[in-house]
Amino acid sequence: MKRLLAPLLAAALAATLTGAAHADHRTASPLQRDADALLAQGAPGVLVEVDTPRGDVRVRSGVADTRTRKPVPWNAKFRIGSFTKTYVAATVLQLVGEGRLSLDDTVERRLPGVVRGNGNDGGRITVRQLLQHTSGLHNYILQLPFIFKGDEFLAERFRTVTAAEAVALATGVAPDFQPGEKWRYSNTGYAVAGMIIEKVTGRTWQQEVRKRILDPLRLRDTFLPGTSPAIPKPHATAYERFPEKGLEADPEDPRYGPALDVTHFNPSWGGAAGDMISTTDDGNRFLQALMAGEVLRPAELAEMKRTVPATGFEQGWPGVRYGLGLMFIPNECGGYWSHGGDIPGFMTRNGVTDDGRRSVVVSVNTDSLIPTPGTAPAVGDPTATLVDRALCGRG
């Protein structure tokens, strides 16, 4: 989801280290120090798990709740936002492998009349382009201004937005560019992909993800909430600060409002683009299984890994490229595969080595990160150093 950058919970949080955190950074592990450093970048609480052939390691820092000061639960559930896209893309690719769908099928063939009008033409958009963010379809999230403004979010947070409504919002305006012409991140492609899954199988995308991925991998702590506003316990409190003028805010002076508790809301507007809940343990299990060939056959996994430059994401991850629901991010030990997620109240970051032997998942209980006073902003994504060190075996 579109990330909102904002200050959150100042220096008091930066000074509060809980759970496995250490007050003396000289004795803390490198992983712990990297988690602690996210507090100064504006994180209320942080949970990290690294899975390796030698065992799994978890650290936590900060607080799950700013009132009670309790630490983030070790098995906390959290909204994973756009990490959902990797599960959905893998489901589509399984259908491709079964011969029930082709990446070269057009949207018009699978969903006649759904993507039309205002210059949008489903006959020119392929399934591959939906998953790759090269369809040109406008991002429907930008047509839902309540998501970006605090008072409106609280007033409308239990509103249901269906996939059909989301796609209609996107096609109600002109496309951003012609199919295949450019790359631009758009949740609309995944809303359409979810509808195609349902049309091909006769079952919802949620049912297919559960049958094809969650149940076989025994991901028992991963949930598809649909319209339910609840997060299964245990979980941290989710915090968000919104620009006072929402989408109309001045990027140079957004004037953020106070931190709001956004733990409970109807996430249906995320749909196949971002409506899932999971844990660090389940997230790592999925990423490692995906790379190890337990989810897709070699031909379909190779298609998932065929990448194009992800122009616009390079500020966070220099050299990043996007495949089908999966990003490749270069680093000093060769690079890794990833797909983060941003949704009000939670930020998820992750990575897995190409051989699937080492992975990391990071959860932060806010999506509005900005450094506390006196702290220099991170260069690139705030979690990049932590993820790189975890995957390169340093700490």
Side-chain angles (χ1 to χ4, degrees):
M1 297 301 152
K2 180 178 173 66
R3 186 172 169 206
L4 305 176
L5 297 175
L8 185 66
L9 304 176
L13 289 182
T16 303
L17 306 180
T18 59
H22 295 70
D24 184 352
H25 284 218
R26 293 172 299 176
T27 60
S29 71
L31 183 64
Q32 184 67 63
R33 290 198 298 269
D34 287 341
D36 295 345
L38 290 174
L39 302 186
Q41 293 295 325
V46 181
L47 180 64
V48 182
E49 180 174 340
V50 181
D51 288 8
T52 78
R54 297 176 60 188
D56 305 342
V57 178
R58 284 185 231 179
V59 301
R60 60 185 177 181
S61 194
V63 298
D65 188 289
T66 59
R67 180 181 56 85
T68 66
R69 317 302 293 175
K70 290 183 178 179
V72 179
W74 289 113
N75 57 340
K77 280 79 171 177
F78 49 88
R79 302 189 193 278
I80 66 172
S82 287
F83 186 22
T84 301
K85 291 179 174 68
T86 312
Y87 296 79
V88 171
T91 299
V92 170
L93 285 163
Q94 283 195 8
L95 293 171
V96 169
E98 294 164 8
R100 302 172 69 181
L101 186 64
S102 168
L103 289 173
D104 295 322
D105 283 346
T106 65
V107 173
E108 182 66 18
R109 177 185 175 189
R110 294 297 178 176
L111 299 172
V114 171
V115 176
R116 283 185 189 169
N118 299 298
N120 296 283
D121 182 358
R124 299 180 58 197
I125 298 171
T126 65
V127 172
R128 181 191 302 278
Q129 289 167 340
L130 295 176
L131 303 181
Q132 193 182 59
H133 299 295
T134 55
S135 71
L137 290 171
H138 186 67
N139 192 347
Y140 72 84
I141 293 293
L142 301 178
Q143 303 303 115
L144 293 169
F146 79 90
I147 296 172
F148 302 95
K149 195 171 181 183
D151 55 349
E152 294 181 13
F153 184 87
L154 294 181
E156 298 193 53
R157 61 178 165 169
F158 299 119
R159 168 183 171 184
T160 294
V161 179
T162 67
E165 290 170 340
V167 174
L169 286 171
T171 57
V173 298
D176 294 341
F177 51 84
Q178 293 305 306
E181 186 177 271
K182 299 179 182 179
W183 185 93
R184 184 172 297 169
Y185 196 84
S186 175
N187 293 293
T188 306
Y190 281 78
V192 176
M195 295 172 73
I196 290 175
I197 291 171
E198 183 168 355
K199 188 67 177 287
V200 170
T201 66
R203 292 157 52 92
T204 66
W205 70 267
Q206 293 99 326
Q207 290 170 324
E208 288 296 308
V209 166
R210 178 159 296 285
K211 181 184 80 170
R212 293 170 175 274
I213 299 175
L214 305 190
D215 289 345
L217 295 181
R218 299 182 180 179
L219 304 182
R220 298 190 177 95
D221 289 321
T222 300
F223 305 90
L224 302 117
T227 60
S228 172
I231 301 176
K233 294 181 179 179
H235 60 78
T237 300
Y239 297 100
E240 194 74 20
R241 296 183 79 162
F242 297 86
E244 291 179 358
K245 293 185 178 181
L247 285 171
E248 303 302 318
D250 179 355
E252 300 299 321
D253 185 18
R255 297 182 182 273
Y256 288 97
L260 302 176
D261 180 343
V262 296
T263 307
H264 299 103
F265 65 87
N266 179 341
S268 60
W269 53 264
D275 182 10
M276 287 180 68
I277 292 168
S278 193
T279 62
T280 57
D281 193 56
D282 273 12
N284 277 314
R285 169 69 181 127
F286 170 61
L287 288 170
Q288 292 194 350
L290 181 64
M291 290 298 111
E294 296 178 41
V295 178
L296 296 173
R297 292 185 291 194
E300 284 70 55
L301 183 57
E303 291 289 356
M304 194 178 214
K305 290 179 173 181
R306 287 179 60 185
T307 61
V308 296
T311 308
F313 271 22
E314 290 187 334
Q315 183 177 358
W317 303 277
V320 63
R321 296 177 65 88
Y322 200 95
L324 305 182
L326 200 60
M327 297 191 298
F328 181 77
I329 301 173
N331 68 4
E332 65 179 38
C333 57
Y336 60 93
W337 298 97
S338 174
H339 205 303
D342 296 274
I343 195 166
F346 288 104
M347 182 177 78
T348 301
R349 295 291 184 267
N350 54 45
V352 62
T353 55
D354 191 64
D355 60 9
R357 290 170 57 82
R358 196 175 186 98
S359 64
V360 59
V361 175
V362 184
S363 175
V364 177
N365 58 332
T366 185
D367 182 44
S368 43
L369 273 177
I370 245 192
T372 55
T375 300
V379 176
D381 187 84
T383 70
T385 296
L386 185 157
V387 172
D388 279 354
R389 289 176 175 168
L391 295 179
C392 291
R394 292 185 289 115

Short mmCIF file of all heavy atoms in Angstrom, two decimals, residues 275-331:
data_model
loop_
_atom_site.label_atom_id
_atom_site.label_comp_id
_atom_site.label_asym_id
_atom_site.label_seq_id
_atom_site.Cartn_x
_atom_site.Cartn_y
_atom_site.Cartn_z
N ASP A 275 -4.96 -7.64 1.68
CA ASP A 275 -5.85 -7.98 2.79
C ASP A 275 -5.51 -9.33 3.40
O ASP A 275 -6.23 -10.30 3.27
CB ASP A 275 -7.31 -7.96 2.30
CG ASP A 275 -8.31 -8.25 3.42
OD1 ASP A 275 -7.91 -8.28 4.59
OD2 ASP A 275 -9.50 -8.47 3.10
N MET A 276 -4.34 -9.41 4.05
CA MET A 276 -3.97 -10.62 4.77
C MET A 276 -3.32 -10.26 6.10
O MET A 276 -2.81 -9.16 6.29
CB MET A 276 -3.02 -11.49 3.94
CG MET A 276 -3.68 -12.21 2.77
SD MET A 276 -2.53 -13.23 1.79
CE MET A 276 -2.12 -14.53 2.96
N ILE A 277 -3.35 -11.22 7.03
CA ILE A 277 -2.73 -11.10 8.35
C ILE A 277 -1.82 -12.31 8.54
O ILE A 277 -2.18 -13.43 8.14
CB ILE A 277 -3.82 -11.07 9.46
CG1 ILE A 277 -4.63 -9.77 9.38
CG2 ILE A 277 -3.20 -11.24 10.84
CD1 ILE A 277 -5.88 -9.78 10.23
N SER A 278 -0.64 -12.11 9.14
CA SER A 278 0.25 -13.25 9.33
C SER A 278 1.17 -13.00 10.52
O SER A 278 0.94 -12.11 11.33
CB SER A 278 1.06 -13.51 8.05
OG SER A 278 1.70 -14.76 8.11
N THR A 279 2.22 -13.81 10.60
CA THR A 279 3.23 -13.71 11.65
C THR A 279 4.62 -13.76 11.01
O THR A 279 4.76 -14.14 9.84
CB THR A 279 3.12 -14.89 12.64
OG1 THR A 279 3.35 -16.12 11.92
CG2 THR A 279 1.76 -14.93 13.31
N THR A 280 5.64 -13.44 11.77
CA THR A 280 7.00 -13.53 11.24
C THR A 280 7.35 -14.97 10.90
O THR A 280 8.01 -15.24 9.89
CB THR A 280 8.03 -12.96 12.23
OG1 THR A 280 7.92 -13.66 13.49
CG2 THR A 280 7.83 -11.48 12.46
N ASP A 281 6.91 -15.91 11.71
CA ASP A 281 7.22 -17.31 11.48
C ASP A 281 6.57 -17.83 10.19
O ASP A 281 7.24 -18.45 9.35
CB ASP A 281 6.76 -18.15 12.67
CG ASP A 281 7.33 -19.57 12.64
OD1 ASP A 281 8.56 -19.70 12.58
OD2 ASP A 281 6.54 -20.53 12.67
N ASP A 282 5.28 -17.54 10.00
CA ASP A 282 4.59 -17.98 8.79
C ASP A 282 5.16 -17.28 7.55
O ASP A 282 5.28 -17.90 6.48
CB ASP A 282 3.09 -17.70 8.88
CG ASP A 282 2.32 -18.82 9.56
OD1 ASP A 282 2.96 -19.71 10.17
OD2 ASP A 282 1.07 -18.80 9.51
N GLY A 283 5.48 -16.00 7.67
CA GLY A 283 6.04 -15.27 6.54
C GLY A 283 7.35 -15.87 6.08
O GLY A 283 7.60 -16.04 4.87
N ASN A 284 8.22 -16.23 7.02
CA ASN A 284 9.49 -16.86 6.67
C ASN A 284 9.27 -18.24 6.06
O ASN A 284 9.94 -18.61 5.08
CB ASN A 284 10.38 -17.00 7.91
CG ASN A 284 11.16 -15.74 8.21
OD1 ASN A 284 11.75 -15.14 7.32
ND2 ASN A 284 11.17 -15.32 9.47
N ARG A 285 8.34 -18.99 6.61
CA ARG A 285 8.06 -20.32 6.07
C ARG A 285 7.61 -20.22 4.61
O ARG A 285 8.06 -20.99 3.76
CB ARG A 285 6.98 -21.00 6.91
CG ARG A 285 6.40 -22.27 6.32
CD ARG A 285 7.40 -23.43 6.31
NE ARG A 285 6.81 -24.61 5.72
CZ ARG A 285 7.33 -25.31 4.71
NH1 ARG A 285 8.48 -24.94 4.17
NH2 ARG A 285 6.74 -26.38 4.25
N PHE A 286 6.73 -19.26 4.32
CA PHE A 286 6.25 -19.11 2.95
C PHE A 286 7.38 -18.72 2.00
O PHE A 286 7.53 -19.30 0.92
CB PHE A 286 5.14 -18.06 2.91
CG PHE A 286 4.74 -17.65 1.51
CD1 PHE A 286 4.23 -18.58 0.62
CD2 PHE A 286 4.89 -16.34 1.09
CE1 PHE A 286 3.86 -18.20 -0.67
CE2 PHE A 286 4.52 -15.96 -0.19
CZ PHE A 286 4.01 -16.90 -1.08
N LEU A 287 8.19 -17.73 2.39
CA LEU A 287 9.27 -17.27 1.51
C LEU A 287 10.27 -18.39 1.22
O LEU A 287 10.71 -18.57 0.08
CB LEU A 287 9.97 -16.07 2.14
CG LEU A 287 9.19 -14.76 2.16
CD1 LEU A 287 9.91 -13.73 3.01
CD2 LEU A 287 8.97 -14.22 0.75
N GLN A 288 10.64 -19.14 2.25
CA GLN A 288 11.60 -20.20 2.03
C GLN A 288 11.02 -21.32 1.18
O GLN A 288 11.70 -21.87 0.29
CB GLN A 288 12.09 -20.76 3.38
CG GLN A 288 12.94 -19.76 4.16
CD GLN A 288 13.70 -20.40 5.30
OE1 GLN A 288 13.48 -21.55 5.66
NE2 GLN A 288 14.62 -19.64 5.89
N ALA A 289 9.74 -21.65 1.40
CA ALA A 289 9.09 -22.69 0.60
C ALA A 289 8.97 -22.26 -0.86
O ALA A 289 9.14 -23.06 -1.78
CB ALA A 289 7.71 -23.00 1.18
N LEU A 290 8.69 -20.97 -1.07
CA LEU A 290 8.56 -20.46 -2.44
C LEU A 290 9.86 -20.61 -3.19
O LEU A 290 9.91 -21.11 -4.32
CB LEU A 290 8.13 -18.99 -2.38
CG LEU A 290 7.93 -18.27 -3.72
CD1 LEU A 290 6.77 -18.90 -4.49
CD2 LEU A 290 7.67 -16.78 -3.49
N MET A 291 10.97 -20.20 -2.56
CA MET A 291 12.27 -20.28 -3.22
C MET A 291 12.74 -21.72 -3.38
O MET A 291 13.49 -22.05 -4.31
CB MET A 291 13.32 -19.48 -2.44
CG MET A 291 13.13 -17.98 -2.48
SD MET A 291 13.25 -17.30 -4.16
CE MET A 291 11.54 -16.83 -4.44
N ALA A 292 12.31 -22.60 -2.49
CA ALA A 292 12.74 -24.00 -2.53
C ALA A 292 11.93 -24.84 -3.51
O ALA A 292 12.19 -26.03 -3.67
CB ALA A 292 12.65 -24.61 -1.13
N GLY A 293 10.95 -24.23 -4.19
CA GLY A 293 10.17 -24.97 -5.16
C GLY A 293 9.01 -25.75 -4.58
O GLY A 293 8.45 -26.62 -5.25
N GLU A 294 8.61 -25.44 -3.35
CA GLU A 294 7.49 -26.15 -2.72
C GLU A 294 6.14 -25.55 -3.09
O GLU A 294 5.10 -26.16 -2.84
CB GLU A 294 7.64 -26.13 -1.20
CG GLU A 294 8.86 -26.86 -0.67
CD GLU A 294 8.96 -26.76 0.84
OE1 GLU A 294 7.92 -26.86 1.51
OE2 GLU A 294 10.09 -26.57 1.34
N VAL A 295 6.14 -24.35 -3.68
CA VAL A 295 4.89 -23.68 -4.02
C VAL A 295 4.64 -23.71 -5.53
O VAL A 295 3.52 -23.95 -5.98
CB VAL A 295 4.90 -22.21 -3.52
CG1 VAL A 295 3.63 -21.48 -3.92
CG2 VAL A 295 5.09 -22.17 -2.00
N LEU A 296 5.68 -23.48 -6.31
CA LEU A 296 5.57 -23.42 -7.77
C LEU A 296 6.55 -24.39 -8.41
O LEU A 296 7.63 -24.65 -7.87
CB LEU A 296 5.87 -22.01 -8.28
CG LEU A 296 4.92 -20.90 -7.84
CD1 LEU A 296 5.46 -19.55 -8.29
CD2 LEU A 296 3.51 -21.14 -8.39
N ARG A 297 6.18 -24.89 -9.58
CA ARG A 297 7.10 -25.71 -10.36
C ARG A 297 8.16 -24.80 -10.99
O ARG A 297 7.98 -23.59 -11.06
CB ARG A 297 6.32 -26.48 -11.42
CG ARG A 297 5.42 -27.54 -10.80
CD ARG A 297 4.73 -28.41 -11.83
NE ARG A 297 3.73 -27.69 -12.60
CZ ARG A 297 2.82 -28.29 -13.37
NH1 ARG A 297 2.80 -29.61 -13.46
NH2 ARG A 297 1.94 -27.59 -14.04
N PRO A 298 9.28 -25.37 -11.42
CA PRO A 298 10.39 -24.54 -11.91
C PRO A 298 10.02 -23.53 -12.99
O PRO A 298 10.47 -22.38 -12.96
CB PRO A 298 11.38 -25.58 -12.43
CG PRO A 298 11.12 -26.80 -11.60
CD PRO A 298 9.64 -26.80 -11.37
N ALA A 299 9.17 -23.92 -13.95
CA ALA A 299 8.83 -23.00 -15.04
C ALA A 299 8.08 -21.79 -14.53
O ALA A 299 8.35 -20.65 -14.95
CB ALA A 299 8.00 -23.73 -16.10
N GLU A 300 7.14 -22.01 -13.60
CA GLU A 300 6.35 -20.89 -13.08
C GLU A 300 7.16 -20.03 -12.12
O GLU A 300 7.02 -18.81 -12.08
CB GLU A 300 5.07 -21.41 -12.40
CG GLU A 300 4.00 -21.87 -13.36
CD GLU A 300 4.37 -23.15 -14.10
OE1 GLU A 300 4.69 -24.16 -13.42
OE2 GLU A 300 4.35 -23.14 -15.36
N LEU A 301 8.04 -20.66 -11.34
CA LEU A 301 8.92 -19.88 -10.46
C LEU A 301 9.85 -19.01 -11.29
O LEU A 301 10.12 -17.85 -10.94
CB LEU A 301 9.71 -20.80 -9.54
CG LEU A 301 10.62 -20.11 -8.51
CD1 LEU A 301 9.83 -19.17 -7.61
CD2 LEU A 301 11.36 -21.16 -7.66
N ALA A 302 10.32 -19.54 -12.41
CA ALA A 302 11.18 -18.75 -13.30
C ALA A 302 10.42 -17.55 -13.85
O ALA A 302 10.99 -16.45 -13.98
CB ALA A 302 11.70 -19.63 -14.44
N GLU A 303 9.15 -17.72 -14.18
CA GLU A 303 8.34 -16.59 -14.65
C GLU A 303 8.18 -15.55 -13.55
O GLU A 303 8.25 -14.35 -13.80
CB GLU A 303 6.97 -17.07 -15.12
CG GLU A 303 6.98 -17.89 -16.39
CD GLU A 303 7.29 -17.07 -17.63
OE1 GLU A 303 7.42 -15.83 -17.53
OE2 GLU A 303 7.42 -17.67 -18.72
N MET A 304 7.99 -16.00 -12.33
CA MET A 304 7.85 -15.08 -11.20
C MET A 304 9.10 -14.24 -11.03
O MET A 304 9.03 -13.07 -10.64
CB MET A 304 7.57 -15.88 -9.93
CG MET A 304 7.06 -15.05 -8.76
SD MET A 304 6.70 -16.09 -7.32
CE MET A 304 5.31 -15.20 -6.62
N LYS A 305 10.26 -14.83 -11.36
CA LYS A 305 11.54 -14.17 -11.16
C LYS A 305 12.00 -13.35 -12.36
O LYS A 305 13.07 -12.74 -12.32
CB LYS A 305 12.61 -15.21 -10.81
CG LYS A 305 12.44 -15.85 -9.43
CD LYS A 305 13.56 -16.87 -9.23
CE LYS A 305 13.57 -17.41 -7.82
NZ LYS A 305 14.68 -18.39 -7.62
N ARG A 306 11.24 -13.35 -13.43
CA ARG A 306 11.59 -12.51 -14.59
C ARG A 306 11.24 -11.07 -14.25
O ARG A 306 10.08 -10.73 -14.05
CB ARG A 306 10.83 -12.96 -15.83
CG ARG A 306 11.33 -14.27 -16.41
CD ARG A 306 10.52 -14.67 -17.64
NE ARG A 306 10.60 -13.65 -18.70
CZ ARG A 306 9.91 -13.73 -19.83
NH1 ARG A 306 9.06 -14.72 -20.04
NH2 ARG A 306 10.05 -12.78 -20.75
N THR A 307 12.24 -10.21 -14.17
CA THR A 307 12.04 -8.88 -13.62
C THR A 307 12.22 -7.76 -14.64
O THR A 307 12.86 -7.94 -15.67
CB THR A 307 13.00 -8.62 -12.45
OG1 THR A 307 14.35 -8.71 -12.94
CG2 THR A 307 12.79 -9.63 -11.33
N VAL A 308 11.65 -6.62 -14.29
CA VAL A 308 11.84 -5.37 -15.03
C VAL A 308 12.24 -4.30 -14.02
O VAL A 308 11.97 -4.43 -12.82
CB VAL A 308 10.55 -4.96 -15.77
CG1 VAL A 308 10.18 -5.99 -16.83
CG2 VAL A 308 9.40 -4.75 -14.79
N PRO A 309 12.89 -3.22 -14.46
CA PRO A 309 13.26 -2.15 -13.52
C PRO A 309 12.02 -1.57 -12.83
O PRO A 309 11.02 -1.29 -13.48
CB PRO A 309 13.94 -1.12 -14.41
CG PRO A 309 14.43 -1.89 -15.58
CD PRO A 309 13.40 -2.96 -15.82
N ALA A 310 12.11 -1.43 -11.53
CA ALA A 310 10.99 -0.89 -10.74
C ALA A 310 11.23 0.60 -10.50
O ALA A 310 11.52 1.03 -9.38
CB ALA A 310 10.83 -1.64 -9.44
N THR A 311 11.11 1.38 -11.55
CA THR A 311 11.33 2.82 -11.46
C THR A 311 10.37 3.44 -10.46
O THR A 311 9.16 3.21 -10.53
CB THR A 311 11.13 3.48 -12.84
OG1 THR A 311 11.92 2.79 -13.80
CG2 THR A 311 11.52 4.94 -12.80
N GLY A 312 10.90 4.20 -9.54
CA GLY A 312 10.06 4.79 -8.49
C GLY A 312 10.29 4.15 -7.14
O GLY A 312 10.03 4.75 -6.11
N PHE A 313 10.80 2.91 -7.14
CA PHE A 313 11.12 2.23 -5.88
C PHE A 313 12.60 2.32 -5.56
O PHE A 313 13.04 1.88 -4.50
CB PHE A 313 10.72 0.75 -5.97
CG PHE A 313 9.29 0.48 -5.54
CD1 PHE A 313 8.34 1.47 -5.56
CD2 PHE A 313 8.92 -0.79 -5.13
CE1 PHE A 313 7.03 1.22 -5.18
CE2 PHE A 313 7.62 -1.05 -4.74
CZ PHE A 313 6.67 -0.05 -4.76
N GLU A 314 13.38 2.88 -6.49
CA GLU A 314 14.83 2.85 -6.31
C GLU A 314 15.31 3.76 -5.18
O GLU A 314 16.42 3.57 -4.68
CB GLU A 314 15.51 3.22 -7.62
CG GLU A 314 15.35 2.13 -8.67
CD GLU A 314 16.17 2.40 -9.92
OE1 GLU A 314 16.44 3.59 -10.19
OE2 GLU A 314 16.52 1.43 -10.61
N GLN A 315 14.49 4.70 -4.77
CA GLN A 315 14.89 5.54 -3.64
C GLN A 315 14.99 4.71 -2.37
O GLN A 315 15.85 4.94 -1.53
CB GLN A 315 13.89 6.68 -3.45
CG GLN A 315 14.29 7.64 -2.34
CD GLN A 315 13.32 8.81 -2.21
OE1 GLN A 315 12.37 8.93 -2.96
NE2 GLN A 315 13.57 9.66 -1.24
N GLY A 316 14.10 3.74 -2.23
CA GLY A 316 14.14 2.86 -1.06
C GLY A 316 15.13 1.73 -1.20
O GLY A 316 15.79 1.34 -0.24
N TRP A 317 15.24 1.18 -2.42
CA TRP A 317 16.09 0.03 -2.67
C TRP A 317 16.82 0.23 -4.00
O TRP A 317 16.29 -0.14 -5.06
CB TRP A 317 15.25 -1.25 -2.72
CG TRP A 317 14.45 -1.48 -1.48
CD1 TRP A 317 14.86 -2.04 -0.31
CD2 TRP A 317 13.05 -1.15 -1.28
NE1 TRP A 317 13.84 -2.09 0.59
CE2 TRP A 317 12.71 -1.55 0.03
CE3 TRP A 317 12.07 -0.58 -2.09
CZ2 TRP A 317 11.43 -1.38 0.54
CZ3 TRP A 317 10.80 -0.39 -1.58
CH2 TRP A 317 10.49 -0.80 -0.28
N PRO A 318 18.00 0.80 -4.00
CA PRO A 318 18.73 1.05 -5.25
C PRO A 318 18.88 -0.22 -6.08
O PRO A 318 19.26 -1.28 -5.57
CB PRO A 318 20.08 1.57 -4.77
CG PRO A 318 19.78 2.18 -3.43
CD PRO A 318 18.73 1.31 -2.83
N GLY A 319 18.56 -0.10 -7.37
CA GLY A 319 18.71 -1.23 -8.28
C GLY A 319 17.60 -2.24 -8.25
O GLY A 319 17.68 -3.28 -8.91
N VAL A 320 16.52 -1.96 -7.51
CA VAL A 320 15.43 -2.93 -7.36
C VAL A 320 14.76 -3.23 -8.71
O VAL A 320 14.63 -2.36 -9.57
CB VAL A 320 14.39 -2.41 -6.35
CG1 VAL A 320 13.74 -1.12 -6.83
CG2 VAL A 320 13.31 -3.46 -6.07
N ARG A 321 14.35 -4.48 -8.87
CA ARG A 321 13.62 -4.92 -10.06
C ARG A 321 12.39 -5.70 -9.60
O ARG A 321 12.39 -6.29 -8.51
CB ARG A 321 14.50 -5.80 -10.95
CG ARG A 321 15.71 -5.04 -11.53
CD ARG A 321 16.60 -5.97 -12.35
NE ARG A 321 15.90 -6.47 -13.53
CZ ARG A 321 15.88 -5.85 -14.71
NH1 ARG A 321 16.50 -4.67 -14.86
NH2 ARG A 321 15.25 -6.38 -15.74
N TYR A 322 11.34 -5.69 -10.44
CA TYR A 322 10.08 -6.31 -10.04
C TYR A 322 9.73 -7.45 -11.00
O TYR A 322 9.80 -7.30 -12.22
CB TYR A 322 8.95 -5.28 -10.04
CG TYR A 322 7.75 -5.69 -9.21
CD1 TYR A 322 7.63 -5.24 -7.89
CD2 TYR A 322 6.76 -6.51 -9.72
CE1 TYR A 322 6.53 -5.62 -7.11
CE2 TYR A 322 5.67 -6.89 -8.94
CZ TYR A 322 5.56 -6.44 -7.64
OH TYR A 322 4.49 -6.83 -6.88
N GLY A 323 9.37 -8.59 -10.42
CA GLY A 323 8.93 -9.74 -11.20
C GLY A 323 7.41 -9.83 -11.20
O GLY A 323 6.72 -8.88 -11.52
N LEU A 324 6.89 -10.99 -10.79
CA LEU A 324 5.44 -11.18 -10.67
C LEU A 324 5.12 -11.36 -9.20
O LEU A 324 5.25 -12.46 -8.64
CB LEU A 324 4.98 -12.39 -11.50
CG LEU A 324 5.35 -12.38 -12.98
CD1 LEU A 324 4.78 -13.60 -13.69
CD2 LEU A 324 4.89 -11.09 -13.67
N GLY A 325 4.78 -10.26 -8.54
CA GLY A 325 4.50 -10.30 -7.10
C GLY A 325 5.74 -10.51 -6.27
O GLY A 325 5.66 -11.00 -5.13
N LEU A 326 6.89 -10.15 -6.80
CA LEU A 326 8.16 -10.40 -6.13
C LEU A 326 9.19 -9.39 -6.61
O LEU A 326 9.27 -9.11 -7.81
CB LEU A 326 8.63 -11.82 -6.46
CG LEU A 326 9.65 -12.50 -5.54
CD1 LEU A 326 9.12 -12.64 -4.13
CD2 LEU A 326 10.00 -13.87 -6.11
N MET A 327 9.96 -8.83 -5.69
CA MET A 327 11.01 -7.88 -6.04
C MET A 327 12.38 -8.52 -5.84
O MET A 327 12.57 -9.30 -4.91
CB MET A 327 10.94 -6.63 -5.15
CG MET A 327 9.66 -5.83 -5.27
SD MET A 327 9.79 -4.21 -4.44
CE MET A 327 10.06 -4.70 -2.73
N PHE A 328 13.33 -8.16 -6.72
CA PHE A 328 14.71 -8.54 -6.50
C PHE A 328 15.48 -7.30 -6.09
O PHE A 328 15.46 -6.27 -6.78
CB PHE A 328 15.35 -9.14 -7.75
CG PHE A 328 16.78 -9.56 -7.50
CD1 PHE A 328 17.05 -10.73 -6.81
CD2 PHE A 328 17.84 -8.76 -7.92
CE1 PHE A 328 18.37 -11.11 -6.55
CE2 PHE A 328 19.16 -9.13 -7.66
CZ PHE A 328 19.42 -10.31 -6.98
N ILE A 329 16.17 -7.39 -4.94
CA ILE A 329 16.90 -6.25 -4.39
C ILE A 329 18.38 -6.60 -4.30
O ILE A 329 18.76 -7.53 -3.57
CB ILE A 329 16.35 -5.87 -3.01
CG1 ILE A 329 14.86 -5.51 -3.12
CG2 ILE A 329 17.15 -4.71 -2.40
CD1 ILE A 329 14.18 -5.29 -1.79
N PRO A 330 19.25 -5.90 -5.04
CA PRO A 330 20.68 -6.18 -4.96
C PRO A 330 21.23 -5.81 -3.58
O PRO A 330 20.76 -4.88 -2.93
CB PRO A 330 21.28 -5.27 -6.04
CG PRO A 330 20.14 -4.85 -6.90
CD PRO A 330 18.94 -4.83 -6.01
N ASN A 331 22.24 -6.56 -3.16
CA ASN A 331 22.99 -6.17 -1.95
C ASN A 331 24.40 -6.72 -2.05
O ASN A 331 24.78 -7.33 -3.06
CB ASN A 331 22.28 -6.63 -0.67
CG ASN A 331 22.26 -8.14 -0.49
OD1 ASN A 331 22.84 -8.88 -1.28
ND2 ASN A 331 21.58 -8.60 0.55
#
